[in-house]
């Protein structure tokens, strides 16, 4: 049997950026496509290669490629810092088939437009709120009808409303093993350095205080795929200047108890925090009564799972809370202007951006509480105890979140759209 020629092979190329998108969009769609098609690397002799291209993003951690490689889903992964060189000379990064499909799944939509044009591939964009470049999209997969309605009429036929990719999280979460019995509270300090430097010490002290108020509480901290337990220890220690503002520290990391499977972080004050180190942690999170979380994609995940939450933005640390999106975030990082512009930018965003949690942005109203300001762990622990003491309030928020979630099936629908752009002989 002769080896396939270049013209017989095909690439499906995912374009994405940060840890939230990788976990909630990229991985589920990759898993679905591998079930629908024979693709490398899971099918070594396949004509179809599934690849991941990471793009420049101020919110990325730099460890996205390492996290994605552990999943064994991609035949090739291109780092964000290599993106411009990839555009200039694709052959530097191996052989690229003549035919392929570029799938936008996070970052700036223009990056995927450039890449599809450079490679000569067809192009589909998953659009949450707006499709910015419909002229250069073969297909648009919209989260909601409002995305389609914003398109010029001549491009609407290219758009299919597939739904919210997050809506599928809850159905997959049911398949995972239950947590040990107890009143579980999730702690989500973020996945990016700017958020972790504040979120880790803040939430560890909050857990200490909540444990003292409500001794039956048990704590779960999902370790993001781009983070490690060693990172958590570092952000809670004196090597993080912000940690000095909080009365907490990591005393030790203890092995899992028999039958539980989760290692435990012990704070200096004796609070036990279980570490979920096998992302995604959707099954474990879905069993929590309440979550304390920073802003970001984690609020969308929690909302999709129907987990009540309190969203935290401690503004006393604006100097490091610069993990904003887009060109404004890039401007805040310019040498010499970083601190001044970062402070002004962050303050402006907090005053004028409106809602910051994804469920509130989606609903256009306050569904989950957002605590923005010079908040303290003591205040948040008291508020969390109040929520836990009133199950009917928690159930009300849970019902609101489920009402926003939409029907599952978006991942399947998007996979159908991607497959529909493949040559017929390879998509059968």
């Amino acid at each position: 049997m002769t080896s396939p020629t270049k013209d017989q092979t095909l690439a499906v190329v995912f374009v994405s950026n940060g840890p939230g998108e990788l976990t909630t969009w990229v991985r589920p769609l990759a898993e679905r496509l591998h079930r629908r098609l024979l693709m490398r690397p899971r099918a070594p002799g396949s004509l179809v290669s599934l690849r991941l291209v990471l793009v420049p993003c101020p919110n990325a951690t730099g460890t996205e490629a390492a996290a994605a490689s552990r999943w064994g889903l991609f035949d090739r992964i291109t780092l964000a810092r290599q993106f411009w060189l990839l555009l200039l000379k694709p052959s530097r990064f191996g052989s690229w088939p003549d035919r392929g499909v570029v799938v936008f799944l996070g970052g700036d939509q223009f990056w995927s437009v450039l890449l599809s044009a450079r490679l000569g591939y067809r192009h589909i964009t998953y659009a949450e709120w707006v499709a910015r470049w419909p002229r250069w999209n073969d297909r648009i997969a919209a989260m909601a009808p409002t995305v389609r309605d914003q398109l010029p009429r001549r491009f609407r036929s290219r758009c299919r409303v597939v739904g919210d990719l997050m809506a599928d999280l809850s159905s997959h979460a049911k398949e995972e093993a239950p947590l040990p019995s107890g009143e579980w509270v999730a702690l989500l300090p973020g996945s990016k350095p700017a958020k972790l430097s504040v979120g880790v010490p803040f939430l560890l002290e909050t857990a200490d205080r909540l444990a003292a108020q409500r001794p039956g509480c048990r704590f779960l901290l999902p370790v993001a795929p781009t983070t490690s337990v060693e990172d958590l220890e570092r952000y809670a220690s004196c090597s993080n200047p912000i940690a000095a503002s909080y009365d907490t520290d990591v005393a030790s990391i203890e092995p899992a108890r028999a039958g539980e499977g989760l290692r435990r972080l012990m704070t200096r004050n004796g609070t036990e925090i279980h570490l979920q180190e096998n992302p995604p942690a959707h099954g474990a999170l879905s069993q929590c009564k309440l979550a304390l979380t920073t802003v970001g994609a984690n609020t969308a995940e929690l909302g999709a799972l129907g987990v009540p939450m309190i969203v935290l933005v401690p503004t006393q640390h604006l100097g490091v809370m610069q993990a904003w999106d887009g060109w404004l975030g890039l401007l805040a990082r310019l040498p010499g202007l970083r601190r001044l512009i970062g402070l002004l930018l962050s303050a402006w965003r907090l005053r004028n951006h409106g809602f910051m949690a994804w469920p509130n942005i989606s609903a256009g109203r306050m569904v989950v509480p957002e605590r923005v300001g010079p908040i303290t762990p003591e205040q948040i622990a008291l508020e969390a105890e109040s929520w836990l003491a009133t199950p009917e309030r928690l159930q009300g928020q849970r019902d609101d979140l489920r009402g926003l979630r939409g029907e599952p099936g978006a991942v399947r629908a998007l996979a159908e759209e991607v497959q529909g752009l493949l040559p017929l002989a390879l998509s059968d």
Side-chain angles (χ1 to χ4, degrees):
M1 179 177 177
T2 59
S3 298
T5 65
K6 183 179 179 181
D7 287 343
Q8 292 175 300
T9 61
L10 182 135
V12 176
V13 184
F14 287 2
V15 170
S16 194
N17 57 337
E21 291 80 3
L22 287 179
T23 302
T24 59
W25 292 358
V26 168
R27 186 174 184 176
L29 182 60
E31 295 278 8
R32 172 70 67 164
L33 282 174
H34 272 296
R35 290 197 294 270
R36 296 179 68 97
L37 300 168
L38 292 176
M39 297 190 298
R40 302 193 304 271
R42 290 193 172 175
S46 172
L47 297 174
V48 186
S49 169
L50 181 62
R51 306 180 182 193
L52 173 65
V53 172
L54 298 168
V55 292
C57 174
N59 292 331
T61 66
T63 58
E64 286 79 9
S69 66
R70 291 195 293 269
W71 300 335
L73 293 168
F74 301 103
D75 196 29
R76 183 174 299 155
I77 298 175
T78 306
L79 304 180
R81 67 174 181 269
Q82 300 170 327
F83 180 71
W84 295 110
L85 185 56
L86 172 64
L87 288 179
L88 289 172
K89 195 169 184 180
S91 61
R92 286 280 299 271
F93 302 92
S95 173
W96 292 83
D98 288 343
R99 296 174 298 172
V101 178
V102 171
V103 186
F104 172 80
L105 291 169
D108 190 317
Q109 293 179 22
F110 192 56
W111 300 150
S112 59
V113 170
L114 289 176
L115 184 61
S116 62
R118 179 66 180 89
L119 297 175
Y121 289 0
R122 305 188 79 185
H123 181 212
I124 180 169
T125 290
Y126 176 67
E128 275 190 293
W129 311 112
V130 61
R132 301 187 184 281
W133 309 99
R135 182 186 302 274
W136 291 283
N137 280 226
D138 292 286
R139 295 292 294 166
I140 298 165
M143 183 179 75
T146 52
V147 176
R148 181 187 57 206
D149 296 344
Q150 293 173 42
L151 293 171
R153 289 189 179 276
R154 65 185 182 277
F155 297 128
R156 291 181 188 176
S157 61
R158 302 182 185 183
C159 182
R160 174 184 175 185
V161 179
V162 299
D164 188 350
L165 295 179
M166 296 279 191
D168 285 24
L169 297 184
S170 59
S171 57
H172 297 311
K174 296 174 184 177
E175 303 169 3
E176 299 184 28
L179 288 171
S181 61
E183 184 179 64
W184 287 88
V185 174
L187 309 173
L188 287 86
S191 57
K192 304 175 180 72
K195 293 179 180 178
L196 288 164
S197 61
V198 178
V200 170
F202 188 101
L203 286 177
L204 292 188
E205 182 181 336
T206 303
D208 283 338
R209 293 181 177 274
L210 182 54
Q213 296 168 16
R214 203 170 179 86
C217 248
R218 306 188 74 176
F219 297 96
L220 176 79
L221 196 160
V223 181
T226 53
T227 309
S228 67
V229 174
E230 291 71 28
D231 291 333
L232 300 179
E233 292 183 276
R234 186 175 72 256
Y235 285 115
S237 73
C238 59
S239 64
N240 174 19
I242 290 175
S245 303
Y246 298 94
D247 182 23
T248 192
D249 200 351
V250 177
S252 64
I253 303 295
E254 300 294 330
R257 292 195 183 93
E260 289 193 357
L262 299 177
R263 288 201 291 169
R264 295 163 294 140
L265 181 154
M266 304 298 298
T267 71
R268 185 180 65 211
N269 296 312
T271 304
E272 182 179 83
I273 299 173
H274 291 72
L275 302 171
Q276 169 55 267
E277 300 177 72
N278 184 27
H282 300 146
L285 282 172
S286 67
Q287 300 168 60
C288 292
K289 300 289 186 184
L290 179 68
L292 307 178
T293 179
T294 57
V295 294
N298 42 9
T299 64
E301 289 183 68
L302 292 168
L305 294 168
V307 180
M309 71 190 85
I310 302 173
V311 181
L312 313 175
V313 185
T315 59
Q316 62 267 37
H317 305 297
L318 276 177
V320 296
M321 294 294 286
Q322 298 173 20
W324 307 115
D325 299 325
W327 66 270
L328 292 174
L330 290 171
L331 185 65
R333 290 161 181 79
L334 289 176
L337 299 178
R338 175 176 178 173
R339 180 169 178 78
L340 175 60
I341 294 179
L343 287 170
L344 293 175
L345 167 62
S346 298
W348 178 83
R349 283 286 297 268
L350 291 172
R351 287 179 61 87
N352 298 283
H353 187 263
F355 299 125
M356 303 186 76
W358 284 107
N360 296 340
I361 295 170
S362 179
R365 61 185 176 88
M366 189 69 75
V367 175
V368 303
E370 298 180 4
R371 298 299 171 243
V372 182
I375 54 178
T376 66
E378 181 179 16
Q379 292 170 331
I380 299 306
L382 286 170
E383 181 171 3
E385 199 282 331
S386 174
W387 278 92
L388 292 168
T390 50
E392 63 277 8
R393 289 179 69 204
L394 288 174
Q395 187 59 47
Q397 189 185 141
R398 189 176 292 109
D399 291 342
D400 285 343
L401 291 171
R402 287 172 177 166
L404 291 172
R405 185 169 60 200
E407 295 297 321
V411 174
R412 173 189 53 77
L414 181 53
E416 290 173 356
E417 291 296 309
V418 173
Q419 188 172 358
L421 292 175
L422 302 179
L424 184 61
L426 291 173
S427 62
D428 287 343

